[in-house]
Amino acid sequence: MKAGTNLEKVLESGAFAVTAEIGPPKGTAARVVQRKGETLKPYVDAVNVTNNQTAIVRMCSLASCVILKQLGLDPVMQIVCRDRNRIAIQSDILGAVALGIGNILCLSGDHQKLGNQPDAKGVFDLDSIQLIQVVKKLRDEKKLICGEEISGEAPLFIGAAENPYADPFEYRVVRLLKKVKAGADFIQTQAIYDVSKFAQWMELVRDKGLDQQVHILAGVIPTRSAGMARYMRDYVAGVYVPDELVTRMEVARDAKEEGVKICLEIIEQIKEIPGVHGVHIMAVGWEDIVPAIAERAGLLPRPIG
Amino acid sequence: MITGKQKPLEEIQRLIEPYRKVLILGCGTCVTIRYCGGEKEVATLASALRLSEGMRNNPRTFIEYTIKRQCEQEFLDEITDKVKKVDAVLSLACGVGVQALAEQFPLAIALPGINTTFIGRPEELGVLSERCLACGDCVIGLTGGICPITRCAKSLFNGPCGGSVNGKCEISPDIPCAWQLIYDRMAKLNLLDKLVEIQPLRNWSSSHSGGPRRIAREDLKLPGTG
Ligand code: SF4
Ligand code: SF4
């Protein structure tokens, strides 16, 4: 075991893992995070906490992770390269370990222009692959990236993201390979709506033997309304929502139920794809639906491990 | 080449507000070629400013002049007398030119008339785009001659982020994804295997992050100086 987190135990046991995502509030109330955590706790193995996702300022990931940890959840702290340089990032990781956080997800981060602080200066001292290298060095060598030793251990389970729908398609698998070489232990993908394209990507992943070296969790986002489906199709960078799916949402009498059904169908199909080790349910802002999805998809009881 | 954009007229008017006699000084090199700060632009700006002064009694006086290069002393020497006779110099050179002016004439008011924007090239007629951030340690030998620091909105070194779709960058449909460009070019050159290597953390100390930079070339120094 590298970190001994619940997520690592579940994945290493070979079981199909279930993770979810919490978006912290644009505010100071710990109880908002607590409420979301309490809702999710019996249904997931670990929960990601976003880090100013879409470049919108929110309560910090580290604080939110600690709140969840206190409730007994296994948090995955997301770190983006947009807002902090290597000095701040390494210091945050040391602090996170001190507070009992064991999973870290390394991301580039949505560009600041897309959020509510478009006037901000972007940092991007590192990219996500270099960030993985930083975390691995802290864990395996107990050293900062400059080579100096740290005191204590940094047992961390290292995650990264990949988007099978972004371009160039063939290079996406090479990037995954780079992430694995850099030290990623698990991968959570961007939301999957077009399962056949994901299956095609997984085939390339298996051809390179990457499914044997890293745990891949397929991302899903339940759509709550036709408007949301359209918005994601038209405006969310890197998300691909097929037109048929938007139409299904538009004609549905009960859009929420239709969104859940679509999500369940997708989970059903991705469970069958060789090399997929779990599902990552990103219902940010609709965390309450995760229990129903986990239950109806036959993913319970949780947490296991 | 250095590219700039003229400041809005209202901003220029605010800048020159306290001064009666203003020298509008063009530069004959980069900004002339980029149509933002040469002789022609000096003339156009001067007439626009004169026009706005027309209504007042006691209007400001504008003097027009353009020198070959505002960033070099030998060309600035030429305007010593002109500078003495005005209250302020509104420079249409890049930021370097304006600063050179201030350094050369310690008592002159040096005002910028353009916003120095980037180092770039004309992509097509009327469209200029950024190419180099002068990072001090050029990496484009690894990326097919396309700069990931400048042309990728996140300066990524190891391939495209998840927002790269249909060749466009996540920040705007008008901006090509640098990594798509790099990938396509490396594919044409049969060099895709080069993009498998991990580029480790970058040493940014060669860039502006290391503080203002200076190059001292012994071979170019005058004997007996330095
Ligand atoms: S790598 Fe540096 S020097 Fe080379 S083009 Fe890019 S910014 Fe300019
Ligand atoms: S879309 Fe391409 S150019 Fe834009 S930030 Fe991502 S990798 Fe860089």
Side-chain angles (χ1 to χ4, degrees):
Chain A
M1 285 281 152
K2 288 166 173 162
T5 62
N6 190 57
L7 178 61
E8 182 181 12
K9 284 183 200 151
V10 172
L11 287 168
E12 287 299 314
S13 76
F16 193 81
V18 180
T19 56
E21 197 153 293
I22 283 180
K26 201 191 287 176
T28 56
R31 71 189 141 71
V32 176
V33 181
Q34 283 159 350
R35 200 191 61 76
K36 293 182 183 192
E38 275 155 8
T39 307
L40 294 178
K41 193 180 167 192
Y43 303 95
V44 296
D45 302 312
V47 61
N48 286 40
V49 181
T50 56
N51 179 195
N52 300 320
Q53 82 270 18
T54 62
I56 288 173
V57 176
R58 291 173 182 281
M59 183 189 292
C60 78
S61 185
L62 176 52
S64 310
C65 282
V66 172
I67 294 168
L68 295 170
K69 180 87 194 168
Q70 286 165 351
L71 289 178
L73 282 98
D74 183 24
V76 179
M77 179 167 119
Q78 299 195 175
I79 301 182
V80 300
C81 299
R82 176 194 60 228
D83 308 328
R84 297 203 224 68
N85 69 9
R86 65 190 77 180
I87 300 174
I89 285 179
Q90 292 180 106
S91 117
D92 278 0
I93 295 172
L94 298 180
V97 174
L99 291 167
I101 309 304
N103 309 300
I104 286 187
L105 189 81
C106 305
L107 303 168
S108 310
D110 298 314
H111 196 273
Q112 63 275 9
K113 237 183 142 169
L114 306 177
N116 67 351
Q117 316 284 323
D119 298 349
K121 184 171 180 180
V123 178
F124 301 110
D125 176 21
L126 315 174
D127 64 26
S128 57
I129 291 175
Q130 294 161 346
L131 174 55
I132 297 170
Q133 291 182 313
V134 168
V135 185
K136 185 175 159 71
K137 194 166 176 116
L138 277 171
R139 180 188 68 195
D140 295 353
E141 300 174 37
K142 290 187 249 158
K143 279 183 180 158
L144 300 172
I145 204 69
C146 64
E148 286 173 16
E149 283 184 27
I150 57 164
S151 59
E153 307 276 330
L156 290 163
F157 196 45
I158 308 172
E162 194 44 77
N163 182 1
Y165 302 98
D167 292 318
F169 182 66
E170 299 76 23
Y171 191 54
R172 287 288 144 191
V173 182
V174 177
R175 239 172 85 81
L176 179 68
L177 170 77
K178 284 177 130 185
K179 289 185 174 180
V180 173
K181 276 207 295 190
D185 300 309
F186 69 99
I187 299 289
Q188 289 168 321
T189 75
Q190 178 57 277
I192 287 152
Y193 288 109
D194 175 354
V195 181
S196 67
K197 180 133 189 205
F198 174 63
Q200 206 186 326
W201 182 76
M202 279 303 297
E203 211 174 301
L204 297 178
V205 169
R206 288 194 304 273
D207 287 348
K208 288 205 185 316
L210 291 174
D211 59 317
Q212 305 295 323
Q213 300 168 47
V214 72
H215 299 290
I216 295 175
L217 284 79
V220 292
I221 301 182
T223 39
R224 209 180 347 187
S225 64
M228 174 184 171
R230 272 194 302 268
Y231 181 80
M232 289 211 295
R233 178 190 62 188
D234 300 335
Y235 298 111
V236 179
V239 175
Y240 173 70
V241 184
D243 291 336
E244 306 88 79
L245 201 146
V246 176
T247 314
R248 258 184 82 176
M249 291 298 291
E250 279 167 348
V251 301
R253 282 175 56 211
D254 180 349
K256 282 188 181 174
E257 173 58 20
E258 191 67 16
V260 170
K261 266 197 202 143
I262 291 170
C263 190
L264 293 171
E265 288 165 21
I266 293 169
I267 294 174
E268 198 56 46
Q269 292 172 55
I270 53 188
K271 266 162 84 181
E272 302 304 317
I273 299 173
V276 176
H277 296 182
V279 64
H280 177 50
I281 307 167
M282 295 175 275
V284 170
W286 196 22
E287 287 89 353
D288 295 352
I289 198 64
V290 174
I293 292 176
E295 192 182 345
R296 290 169 64 183
L299 298 168
L300 299 182
R302 298 280 153 183
I304 48 175
Chain B
M1 195 159 278
I2 294 177
T3 300
K5 223 173 132 184
Q6 197 172 97
K7 282 183 177 289
L9 198 63
E10 306 75 63
E11 188 184 344
I12 293 180
Q13 285 166 329
R14 274 201 305 278
L15 279 171
I16 61 169
E17 177 62 33
Y19 312 108
R20 305 304 313 162
K21 201 167 175 189
V22 178
L23 169 63
I24 305 178
L25 187 64
C27 175
T29 305
C30 307
V31 290
T32 292
I33 296 171
R34 292 291 163 257
Y35 307 107
C36 58
E39 214 173 328
K40 251 179 64 189
E41 291 75 29
V42 168
T44 317
L45 177 62
S47 15
L49 288 169
R50 279 189 196 113
L51 201 69
S52 65
E53 293 285 315
M55 317 293 156
R56 318 178 184 207
N57 31 17
N58 190 19
R60 288 184 177 74
T61 313
F62 296 101
I63 297 152
E64 303 164 38
Y65 200 68
T66 297
I67 57 176
K68 175 102 176 99
R69 258 199 295 291
Q70 267 186 52
C71 54
E72 289 179 25
Q73 181 185 342
E74 57 173 303
F75 300 106
L76 286 167
D77 282 344
E78 201 187 306
I79 54 164
T80 309
D81 289 341
K82 287 195 163 52
V83 172
K84 278 187 192 147
K85 288 183 197 142
V86 294
D87 302 324
V89 184
L90 176 68
S91 165
L92 296 195
C94 71
V96 183
V98 188
Q99 294 184 63
L101 198 65
E103 285 167 37
Q104 174 114 353
F105 306 108
L107 297 177
I109 302 289
L111 306 169
I114 71 172
N115 291 321
T116 306
T117 315
F118 52 73
I119 306 177
R121 67 181 293 261
E123 241 170 27
E124 53 189 278
L125 205 64
V127 181
L128 297 154
S129 86
E130 185 168 21
R131 288 292 181 273
C132 177
L133 277 165
C135 74
D137 185 6
C138 197
V139 298
I140 65 179
L142 300 168
T143 52
I146 294 164
C147 176
I149 300 179
T150 312
R151 303 195 66 191
C152 166
K154 300 176 189 169
S155 295
L156 303 178
F157 279 86
N158 282 293
C161 74
S164 169
V165 177
N166 295 328
K168 301 299 180 196
C169 174
E170 71 175 26
I171 68 165
S172 159
D174 298 326
I175 297 175
C177 168
W179 275 98
Q180 180 75 53
L181 297 175
I182 292 169
Y183 181 84
D184 292 346
R185 194 158 146 76
M186 292 301 260
K188 274 198 203 108
L189 297 171
N190 239 329
L191 288 172
L192 280 181
D193 54 318
K194 295 275 177 233
L195 296 184
V196 182
E197 286 159 34
I198 295 179
Q199 298 306 324
L201 277 74
R202 166 145 182 124
N203 176 354
W204 289 109
S205 69
S206 64
S207 76
H208 184 68
S209 296
R213 293 164 283 176
R214 199 161 183 249
I215 298 175
R217 289 259 313 255
E218 293 308 321
D219 54 331
L220 295 177
K221 284 190 176 168
L222 291 173
T225 63

